[in-house]
Amino acid sequence: MMYVDPLMDPVLMMFPRENDKQLNARLRHYYTFNPIVHSVIDLHASYALSDFELRCEDDSIEQYYNDIKERLDLLTMMINLNRDFWLLGNAYMYGDWDETNCEWIKFNQFPAENVEVSRSYIGGSAVYFLKPDNSVKKVLQSSSAIDQAVAKTIPAEFRNAIISGQPYQLANERLIHFANRPAQYALEGESILKSCLKDL
């Protein structure tokens, strides 16, 4: 009898399963150019979500939190988080916290391939690192007026790590990791598109 090993599939052997950057680039390609994939991902990302308002007996509290909701554009943030969740299997949002006013200023969405997750399945919570990015490093070291203007928008906490080429540890209390994990012990989520890669 001849056993056909599924791991030796010639189509899947050429697919970069272990390289998150290349894998996500291909998944984004299917999202951009395949109308069925695009429609299904967008449907999953936005279905059952709608705008909302806080209701409270205290009008000042109600107004305050509804203003924050509008300023942070929470509905769009949730849809963007959902889109990466369904398309890539992982979505990351990192919050900027204002120590003076004790409130969130904004949330930045990180590309899933730029975040490294480490944890032992025996241990507790995961540790997250923002990977060094050479394209951002070039912007920080550039003398171009455009690049310098862009560099000013990068939070100071990241700059030294980016220039040194070292991973930057993210604060767990400021990070939202929305993951389509196949099991509790899994470090990261899996894209639902991986099950139909051969068909695509």
Side-chain angles (χ1 to χ4, degrees):
M1 294 178 65
M2 295 291 292
Y3 171 69
V4 180
D5 189 343
L7 297 179
M8 299 301 291
D9 188 306
V11 175
L12 295 181
M13 282 178 66
M14 298 298 293
F15 207 88
R17 289 175 290 177
E18 305 303 321
N19 186 320
D20 290 341
K21 189 170 185 177
Q22 290 185 20
L23 174 61
N24 289 351
R26 284 158 176 80
L27 294 174
R28 289 186 180 104
H29 170 85
Y30 294 128
Y31 172 76
T32 302
F33 295 105
N34 186 302
I36 297 175
V37 170
H38 190 100
S39 298
V40 169
I41 294 297
D42 276 1
L43 178 67
H44 278 72
S46 59
Y47 181 72
L49 292 178
S50 62
D51 204 2
F52 58 92
E53 288 185 351
L54 174 72
R55 293 284 182 244
C56 181
E57 293 180 1
D58 188 321
D59 290 341
S60 62
I61 294 176
E62 178 177 321
Q63 183 64 45
Y64 173 77
Y65 282 102
N66 281 323
D67 287 346
I68 287 180
K69 187 266 296 188
E70 291 296 330
R71 177 161 41 85
L72 296 178
D73 196 7
L74 291 183
L75 178 61
T76 302
M77 187 184 101
M78 289 187 298
I79 292 173
N80 288 336
L81 201 65
N82 270 343
R83 187 175 291 112
D84 268 10
F85 172 85
W86 289 112
L87 179 63
L88 309 176
N90 294 283
Y92 297 94
M93 286 280 185
Y94 199 62
D96 286 345
W97 177 254
D98 183 352
E99 292 285 353
T100 304
N101 297 314
C102 295
E103 64 182 23
W104 296 108
I105 302 171
K106 64 178 178 177
F107 282 86
N108 296 305
Q109 186 172 8
F110 292 156
E113 60 272 13
N114 286 9
V115 178
E116 183 177 342
V117 188
S118 296
R119 183 188 68 186
S120 167
Y121 66 89
I122 300 172
S125 61
V127 180
Y128 297 87
F129 293 91
L130 188 63
K131 297 177 184 176
D133 188 313
N134 287 330
S135 62
V136 179
K137 183 177 180 179
K138 288 178 182 177
V139 169
L140 288 173
Q141 295 177 330
S142 172
S143 59
S144 161
I146 295 174
D147 288 342
Q148 288 180 359
V150 172
K152 288 178 182 177
T153 68
I154 298 173
E157 62 180 308
F158 298 126
R159 291 178 189 168
N160 290 338
I162 293 171
I163 291 173
S164 66
Q166 297 299 314
Y168 177 83
Q169 185 171 351
L170 300 169
N172 283 28
E173 63 271 16
R174 292 170 56 189
L175 181 73
I176 299 171
H177 180 199
F178 198 29
N180 184 26
R181 292 188 180 94
Q184 186 177 356
Y185 57 77
L187 280 176
E188 297 180 89
E190 295 281 346
S191 169
I192 60 171
L193 284 186
K194 289 178 77 173
S195 64
C196 53
L197 286 176
K198 288 183 69 174
D199 297 319
L200 291 170

